[in-house]
Amino acid sequence: MSKQTLHTVAAALGVSHVTVSLALSGSPRIAAATRQRIRDYAASVGYRPNRAAQALKRRSTRTLGFVLPSVAP
């Protein structure tokens, strides 16, 4: 199966990508029945959020890095 994006999920369900985004984040602005229909479809096709896109949007990767002087004993 091909990689599912927010836009492909929206197109398959006939709703906007904004509606899909709000539904998957649990927004009360989307009717409960629509939220559930979107969540069920997203789960059935294996939709997973794009972590790189989320990091760009929030301008944070939520990762921590550190430098070691040496890894040899």
Side-chain angles (χ1 to χ4, degrees):
M1 180 172 285
S2 65
K3 183 176 177 182
Q4 296 294 312
T5 66
L6 202 69
H7 291 275
T8 59
V9 170
L13 294 172
V15 297
S16 75
H17 67 279
V18 175
T19 300
V20 173
S21 177
L22 290 171
L24 293 177
S25 66
S27 173
R29 293 173 43 193
I30 307 300
T34 303
R35 265 196 323 265
Q36 192 58 49
R37 180 171 66 104
I38 291 170
R39 286 179 177 169
D40 290 344
Y41 179 79
S44 73
V45 296
Y47 170 78
R48 291 186 327 200
N50 183 322
R51 299 295 179 201
Q54 289 177 334
L56 286 171
K57 176 68 176 166
R58 74 175 170 257
R59 301 181 77 183
S60 172
T61 60
R62 297 184 182 192
T63 58
L64 176 66
F66 59 96
V67 178
L68 298 174
S70 175
V71 292

